[in-house]
Amino acid sequence: MKGKRHFPLLAFVVFTVIFFLTFSMQVIDARKHHHHRKKGKSHKHQKSNGAANSPAPGPAPLPSYGFHPNSSGIFNVLSFGAKGDGGADDSKAFLAAWKAACNVPGATVEIPAELKFLVKPITFQGPCMPNLSFQIDGTLLAPPKISSWTKYSLFQWINFKWVHNFTIQGNGAVDGQGSSWWKANSKKFKHISNMKPTAIRFYASYNVTVRDIEITNSPQCHLKFDSSSGIKVDNVTISSPESSPNTDGIHLQNTQDVEIKYSNIGCGLRDLWGWDDCVSIQTGCSNIHIHHIDCGPGHGISIGGLGKDKSIGCVSDIIVEEISLQNTLAGVRIKTWQGGMGSVKNVTFSNIQVADVKVPMIIDQFYCDKNICKNQTGAVAISGVKYDQIIGTYSAQPVHLACSSDIPCTDVDLIDIQLKPSMRYGGFQPALCWNSYGKSQAPLLPSSIDSCLRRDHGSLVKRIAGFPEHIC
Ligand SMILES: *[C@@H]1O[C@H](CO)[C@@H](O)[C@H](O)[C@H]1NC(C)=O
Ligand SMILES: *[C@@H]1O[C@H](CO)[C@@H](O)[C@H](O)[C@H]1NC(C)=O
Ligand SMILES: *[C@@H]1O[C@H](CO)[C@@H](O)[C@H](O)[C@H]1NC(C)=O
Ligand SMILES: *[C@@H]1O[C@H](CO)[C@@H](O)[C@H](O)[C@H]1NC(C)=O
Ligand SMILES: *[C@@H]1O[C@H](CO)[C@@H](O)[C@H](O)[C@H]1NC(C)=O
Ligand SMILES: *[C@@H]1O[C@H](CO)[C@@H](O)[C@H](O)[C@H]1NC(C)=O
Ligand SMILES: *[C@@H]1O[C@H](CO)[C@@H](O)[C@H](O)[C@H]1NC(C)=O
């Protein structure tokens, strides 16, 4: 809806105003500070590149807590009292380092190598001076016991809120220590019900890069971006054991302009329903480019589920290419509940290699997380979905395009599909296309794919005329 779309813009304006207020106060403070130092004791000569008018001063006024950073703008958490022994609670030290670094343009919060830092559920809040980075060379550990999480902290473990031009990088790891959550019996921990924390979440954040780090064993989702834009994820490793249910890799919601590349994601069960997607794209997402990803085990790369409880789902302009999937439930999938509204438009899946994937290509407009869901009229309309070079082996069914009986899928293109049954399995089902219109182009294997799509556009126009098109 219109209001929803305007939120990021409004938020952006608010943050920009806050940012400039903060920024101008910094400049004033820095001047005072400079003046003061002139009169005071001698001090080391500041490195200067001669840009006298640069609005970015040298080190900004130092906060009253913790130790001072050195001239490189590095704020080591050890200098703020972190123990790094894996047992002591280092949350306060992390927050203090964050607050200090937040005031300095281009600062780095350093989490040093070879140490383990236990951090409780925590929010790192901006806006900060731009180009702040979080250098994770050591390991961050979540509290291992469920009882140490309050019911207010269940949404996520590490929350970045209102940050912009921000980077997480390093050779280190973020370990959600989720094993007790995976087997948690919900009677014992009433307050957790179905809610389990995401390991790292970004909320209302812009121009964020996450690179090189490893994120493991999250109680639920590993890396989530919510109401954000300008996101880059590069060369990350995300993993949790096969016995971990509901552990999505990367989850995008109401987020635009995203690139996820050169990453390795394997989480969770292959066979059970629930969320275990390597990448999950939810409503409000557009302009998403995902490429060079190894995915498996898990549920593959998914758009949706959209339209649950008659809600509006809007997803557009998605490119998923150069992907290798091994041992996953789905390959590339679009799933919507019956009865929803909105649309999925302009999606390309190309150069997808599959090995032992149960069903490599899925459109499921009858998505249901129980055994039976009530039949409902209306659906999130799907149009402009191109599959190009989907190649490899399947273990149950090559293609399953089950479109809504009310609103067919249109402009579905199948080009160069080469899917063979996996030698390790038996009992295969033929390709299925239900109410899906489009064209196909050889090579197509199995050849039944060729006759899968419907081509008679004439009757179509009448059938979809009754449904609202511009709701997104
Ligand atoms: C000072 O900077 C160096 C790198 O230039 C870094 O290794 C060191 O940890 C920093 N010191 C503190 C107290 O942050
Ligand atoms: C932040 O980094 C970007 C890219 O390197 C640069 O263009 C921008 O000027 C930097 N901003 C500040 C305030 O240092
Ligand atoms: C954020 O980074 C982008 C690109 O690196 C740059 O164009 C922009 O000026 C930066 N914003 C700020 C506030 O530094
Ligand atoms: C990817 O991340 C790993 C682990 O941090 C690092 O060793 C490697 O150099 C990174 N590769 C690239 C191309 O940046
Ligand atoms: C994000 O980066 C783009 C360029 O990459 C820049 O135009 C924009 O101003 C940046 N946004 C913020 C909030 O810094
Ligand atoms: C489809 O999405 C891609 C990727 O975001 C974009 O470059 C392209 O312009 C879009 N095409 C249409 C017709 O909107
Ligand atoms: C929903 O509709 C389908 C197709 O018309 C039918 O096969 C199925 O039994 C219906 N399911 C329920 C729960 O009514």
Side-chain angles (χ1 to χ4, degrees):
M1 270 195 295
K2 285 251 159 65
K4 220 173 185 175
R5 281 236 133 174
H6 283 166
F7 172 71
L9 180 66
L10 181 66
F12 174 75
V13 170
V14 171
F15 302 146
T16 310
V17 168
I18 294 170
F19 165 70
F20 279 110
L21 282 177
T22 319
F23 188 78
S24 26
M25 287 179 55
Q26 287 296 327
V27 173
I28 292 163
D29 274 349
R31 281 190 194 132
K32 275 192 210 155
H33 187 65
H34 184 67
H35 185 64
H36 173 75
R37 284 201 311 194
K38 262 189 182 165
K39 293 196 289 192
K41 282 192 256 171
S42 73
H43 57 274
K44 276 191 189 161
H45 179 68
Q46 293 287 311
K47 259 195 201 166
S48 163
N49 56 11
N53 296 326
S54 165
L62 294 164
S64 53
Y65 38 73
F67 288 72
H68 296 172
N70 49 33
S71 57
S72 52
I74 293 173
F75 296 77
N76 191 325
V77 291
L78 295 176
S79 308
F80 291 81
K83 293 279 182 298
D85 61 7
D89 178 5
D90 287 329
S91 313
K92 283 205 175 100
F94 271 64
L95 268 186
W98 171 266
K99 283 185 177 156
C102 182
N103 288 323
V104 178
T108 299
V109 174
E110 166 72 36
I111 294 122
E114 284 163 31
L115 296 174
K116 294 188 169 176
F117 299 90
L118 180 74
V119 175
K120 296 228 168 113
I122 193 166
T123 294
F124 296 111
Q125 187 170 315
C128 293
M129 299 304 276
N131 299 349
L132 177 59
S133 62
F134 220 74
Q135 179 74 29
I136 303 179
D137 292 322
T139 302
L140 269 67
L141 296 176
K145 284 194 196 141
I146 297 180
S147 54
S148 54
W149 296 69
T150 70
K151 69 176 172 189
Y152 303 105
S153 65
L154 290 172
F155 206 67
Q156 70 269 311
W157 169 33
I158 302 174
N159 187 26
F160 292 95
K161 181 173 168 186
W162 302 341
V163 297
H164 56 224
N165 281 32
F166 174 72
T167 300
I168 294 183
Q169 59 190 6
N171 295 313
V174 171
D175 184 347
Q177 305 212 85
S179 61
S180 55
W181 293 89
W182 306 329
K183 42 184 188 251
N185 130 9
S186 48
K187 269 182 202 150
K188 189 169 166 197
F189 298 103
K190 255 191 190 157
H191 69 286
I192 67 173
S193 61
N194 287 321
M195 184 103 143
K196 293 175 185 164
T198 287
I200 301 177
R201 172 179 182 241
F202 282 90
Y203 176 71
S205 293
Y206 304 87
N207 292 348
V208 169
T209 299
V210 178
R211 71 162 83 95
D212 302 344
I213 61 163
E214 191 179 350
I215 309 171
T216 60
N217 302 324
S218 177
Q220 196 180 63
C221 176
H222 286 74
L223 177 60
K224 182 183 277 188
F225 295 93
D226 185 354
S227 305
S228 295
S229 72
I231 306 300
K232 285 189 165 48
V233 177
D234 182 10
N235 186 39
V236 302
T237 302
I238 294 179
S239 68
S240 65
E242 275 192 63
S243 57
S244 60
N246 299 329
T247 51
D248 272 349
I250 300 175
H251 189 102
L252 304 172
Q253 186 172 342
N254 193 24
T255 289
Q256 302 86 38
D257 306 330
V258 177
E259 185 179 18
I260 300 173
K261 61 180 178 180
Y262 297 104
S263 293
N264 200 318
I265 307 172
C267 320
L269 301 173
R270 173 177 187 268
D271 279 321
L272 289 186
W273 293 102
W275 301 334
D276 300 87
D277 298 320
C278 289
V279 181
S280 164
I281 299 169
Q282 298 295 330
T283 188
C285 290
S286 63
N287 196 21
I288 312 288
H289 188 193
I290 300 170
H291 61 104
H292 295 95
I293 303 293
D294 277 344
C295 162
H299 286 180
I301 293 181
S302 295
I303 296 172
L306 302 172
K308 191 178 187 181
D309 301 328
K310 303 188 186 242
S311 64
I312 298 172
C314 298
V315 170
S316 64
D317 303 338
I318 311 291
I319 298 176
V320 177
E321 59 185 348
E322 311 283 343
I323 307 289
S324 164
L325 297 126
Q326 313 92 34
N327 193 27
T328 53
L329 177 75
V332 288
R333 172 166 63 158
I334 301 172
K335 51 186 180 181
T336 71
W337 266 272
Q338 294 185 67
M341 288 176 280
S343 63
V344 173
K345 281 186 194 162
N346 186 21
V347 178
T348 299
F349 298 114
S350 85
N351 210 337
I352 311 288
Q353 304 280 333
V354 292
D356 290 336
V357 168
K358 214 164 177 180
V359 187
M361 298 161 54
I362 301 180
I363 293 177
D364 180 6
Q365 295 214 271
F366 301 87
Y367 186 66
C368 175
D369 56 1
K370 308 182 277 270
N371 283 335
I372 299 172
C373 290
K374 244 175 45 190
N375 278 342
Q376 308 204 45
T377 52
V380 176
I382 296 178
S383 64
V385 184
K386 183 170 159 184
Y387 297 89
D388 185 357
Q389 294 187 63
I390 316 289
I391 295 171
T393 60
Y394 62 92
S395 58
Q397 189 178 26
V399 172
H400 184 99
L401 307 181
C403 294
S404 160
S405 303
D406 294 324
I407 309 180
C409 301
T410 56
D411 294 319
V412 175
D413 290 349
L414 305 180
I415 305 161
D416 189 1
I417 312 296
Q418 302 180 48
L419 295 167
K420 294 179 188 159
S422 165
M423 288 306 161
R424 293 167 53 191
Y425 299 85
F428 303 105
Q429 289 173 267
L432 176 143
C433 296
W434 171 252
N435 218 14
S436 188
Y437 290 76
K439 54 184 192 301
S440 53
Q441 190 181 312
L444 296 169
L445 185 77
S447 55
S448 59
I449 291 175
D450 189 34
S451 52
C452 195
L453 295 170
R454 296 169 67 170
R455 293 181 176 86
D456 47 338
H457 268 82
S459 58
L460 191 61
V461 179
K462 243 194 314 188
R463 292 186 54 189
I464 55 178
F467 293 97
E469 274 180 51
H470 302 296
I471 203 159
C472 287

